[in-house]
Amino acid sequence: MTETKAVVIGAGIGGLALAIRLQTAGIATTIVEARDQPGGRAAFRRLEGYTFDTGPAAIADPAPLTALWALAGDDMAAAVTLLPVDPGYRCHWPDGAVLDLADDEALRAEIGRRAPGDVAGYRKLRDHAAALRREGLDQPFADAAALLRAAPWVVRHQAWRSVHSTVARFVGDEKLRQALSFGTLLAGGNPMTANAAALRPGSEGEAWCVAGGTNRLIAALAALFERRGGAIRLGDAAVRIETLGDRVTAVETASGWRTDCAMLGANCDMIHACRDLLAGSAAAARTAARLERKRQAPSVFALHFGIKGTWPGIPHRTILFGERYEEALSDTFGHGLLAADFPLFLDHPSVTDPSLAPPGCSTFRAFALVPHLGKFPEDWRRIAPLIEQRVLDVLERRLIPEVRERIVTGFSYSPADFVGDFNAYLGSAFGPEPLPAEGTWFAARNRDAAIGNLYFVGAGAHPRGEWAGALESAHSAADLMLGRG
């Protein structure tokens, strides 16, 4: 048996960021990762000369990442190369309308061409969103007293509103409303119901990608952690977290490796951690039961494919809106239906970095939110081929003629894979849905309420939200673990 000061379960972006912060602060840290590569959901595959990243296709704000290298006294630019993504997103509607989300000045010009009367409202929306985050997102509302103290702020900023209704307060054009609120979907939230604090209007407009793919960033983070003396155990899943009273005392893995630990960071599915790994803890069982009662966010179906030909007219990231918007979201989030016209996200990373595909070829990923297994308990081995064809129908009709004939290789990823690979409860890709009473400020706290040296990080923990939220949660958890919170 070895002795370790801190253990982090899961080498996703949140786990890596937390481990780096602890290790650079002098806390001997070991990461335990079930898969054979770091990155968690930001993994990758190479098939027939194509590189397919399963993580984000672009990064909205590199600052939290550069801060990790700075903590170690290193320079991120020496480890990875960032390439600008322009536009950050293209919004595409069935009637042929297009709106590019770029930097703030370019976006104002786009809005001016489409809806001149909404330019001033957009500026006010940006100011409003900045105030929401500046004044209300530093800490979660941990209890009723904290919520009461925040009541004046909630009233002043109308923070009970949904993302979409908040946008609608400031801009009148419906397509523009969709363009400025769809980012909530990338964190598993319905813009029609998710709390207004999730609003980041136009944040998808400024973006960068990593040369060689997001996998190169993950590899560089893992190398940074190991250079500072940290250890990563790959391909060795945590199977048991031991507790004594209200403290974690040790972690055991599938190989039989076991270590004592003074504190534990869990960058894994929270219900899996509390229900399965902490099976002997009554407090964790209560937490698991509470989390299971929450409404879970949808899952994701993704189709990765490499094709012959290059497509310079298709930008790095596109969202293809369907004929219906609110109704399609209601199908997915509310009724558990596979919407016929779901918003479809299309990533085309090889347009920015041609090295991700063979010469004269292109790498794509198309994905959509789909109901989790609790709402749609079907066999995805049967469903996946049907959804693949539906996705290709949309792409062939709107962007890539004869796409099927051009495909060289590819694979799909379904809710069942989220269960198999990540023990995700009901196959949800995001954890509890960020409803007004469940999301953002009300997200799971970074320190467990009952087990004092257990900390949660990742997109499902405070403050929630894709990669940016995972990095912020790692920062918050590290401050608490180091006595700074």
Side-chain angles (χ1 to χ4, degrees):
M1 183 179 72
T2 60
E3 292 187 356
T4 306
K5 185 69 173 177
V7 172
V8 175
I9 296 177
I13 185 65
L16 286 168
L18 173 62
I20 289 168
R21 288 184 175 278
L22 295 176
Q23 190 70 31
T24 56
I27 307 296
T29 304
T30 297
I31 300 175
V32 175
E33 169 57 47
R35 307 187 79 190
D36 61 1
Q37 59 177 271
R41 300 182 186 189
F44 74 101
R45 297 186 195 180
R46 291 199 176 99
L47 300 173
E48 300 187 40
Y50 296 86
T51 298
F52 299 103
D53 276 308
T54 60
I59 301 164
D61 182 9
L65 293 166
T66 59
L68 296 175
W69 266 271
L71 286 173
D74 290 344
D75 182 6
M76 177 175 159
V80 295
T81 300
L82 295 183
L83 306 173
V85 173
D86 186 29
Y89 246 109
R90 173 166 293 168
C91 301
H92 190 288
W93 287 271
D95 63 3
V98 170
L99 178 73
D100 283 348
L101 300 181
D103 62 69
D104 192 59
E105 182 178 351
L107 180 53
R108 288 201 306 269
E110 282 272 307
I111 294 171
R113 286 190 289 272
R114 174 170 184 83
D118 282 331
V119 174
Y122 167 72
R123 291 195 186 100
K124 293 177 182 177
L125 175 64
R126 289 297 297 259
D127 292 343
H128 178 76
L132 276 169
R133 292 189 60 77
R134 183 175 62 250
E135 298 178 30
L137 204 59
D138 288 342
Q139 296 293 332
F141 292 163
D143 51 35
L147 184 57
L148 285 174
R149 288 193 299 270
W153 169 84
V154 171
V155 172
R156 183 168 67 253
H157 292 292
Q158 300 186 34
W160 64 83
R161 286 180 175 269
S162 72
V163 169
H164 188 271
S165 68
T166 299
V167 173
R169 286 179 58 201
F170 296 95
V171 299
D173 183 84
E174 178 54 32
K175 285 186 171 68
L176 184 56
R177 291 173 175 176
Q178 295 174 16
L180 295 176
S181 64
F182 78 82
T184 310
L185 294 169
L186 297 171
N190 183 346
M192 303 299 170
T193 58
N195 199 287
L199 178 65
R200 294 176 176 87
S203 65
E204 297 82 10
E206 296 186 71
W208 292 262
C209 70
V210 179
T214 306
N215 64 90
R216 303 315 308 150
L217 174 61
I218 294 297
L221 286 168
L224 175 66
F225 172 64
E226 291 180 314
R227 282 201 306 275
R228 291 306 302 255
I232 304 178
R233 295 185 63 86
L234 295 175
D236 196 13
V239 295
R240 188 161 67 103
I241 300 171
E242 298 179 18
T243 58
L244 181 62
D246 62 352
R247 306 289 292 179
V248 169
T249 57
V251 174
E252 184 178 345
T253 67
S255 70
W257 180 83
R258 181 181 177 279
T259 182
D260 292 340
C261 64
M263 47 190 168
L264 175 69
N267 180 218
C268 57
D269 184 86
M270 291 185 189
I271 293 177
H272 169 62
C274 293
R275 182 188 61 195
D276 304 327
L277 302 183
L278 284 154
S281 167
R286 290 192 293 271
T287 299
R290 176 177 57 81
L291 291 171
E292 288 175 1
R293 289 193 296 271
K294 291 178 179 290
R295 180 167 156 175
Q296 302 300 308
S299 190
V300 165
F301 178 82
L303 176 61
H304 300 255
F305 56 99
I307 66 174
K308 298 175 182 177
T310 57
W311 303 87
I314 300 177
H316 195 104
R317 297 189 297 177
T318 300
I319 177 170
L320 296 160
F321 292 101
E323 293 287 351
R324 306 176 309 153
Y325 183 58
E326 185 172 357
E327 295 85 355
L329 296 178
S330 181
D331 285 347
T332 300
F333 285 85
H335 304 304
L337 301 175
L338 289 173
D341 52 356
F342 43 63
L344 183 64
F345 294 88
L346 181 68
D347 295 332
H348 180 201
S350 59
V351 75
T352 305
D353 182 2
S355 72
L356 299 176
C361 298
S362 303
T363 301
F364 285 93
R365 172 179 61 178
F367 66 96
L369 270 63
V370 296
H372 60 65
L373 296 175
K375 288 182 177 290
F376 189 75
E378 294 290 335
D379 181 356
W380 274 94
R381 290 172 299 181
R382 181 179 66 86
I383 296 296
L386 304 177
I387 304 303
E388 289 179 16
Q389 295 310 310
R390 188 181 294 183
V391 168
L392 294 174
D393 284 343
V394 174
L395 296 179
E396 189 166 65
R397 184 171 66 251
R398 294 176 61 174
L399 286 179
I400 310 175
E402 300 177 341
V403 63
R404 289 175 175 82
E405 289 75 16
R406 300 176 186 274
I407 293 177
V408 176
T409 187
F411 62 96
S412 63
Y413 204 88
S414 76
D417 295 305
F418 281 99
V419 176
D421 289 344
F422 305 110
N423 297 294
Y425 181 61
L426 299 179
S428 169
F430 309 96
E433 182 181 338
L435 297 165
E438 302 290 354
T440 317
W441 317 288
F442 304 95
R445 285 172 284 175
N446 301 113
R447 179 164 51 200
D448 187 77
I451 303 175
N453 61 342
L454 172 62
Y455 302 82
F456 292 105
V457 296
H462 176 78
R464 291 193 61 97
E466 217 188 8
W467 259 39
L471 290 168
E472 288 181 49
S473 77
H475 194 169
S476 297
D479 282 349
L480 291 168
M481 296 169 85
L482 296 169
R484 301 170 183 163

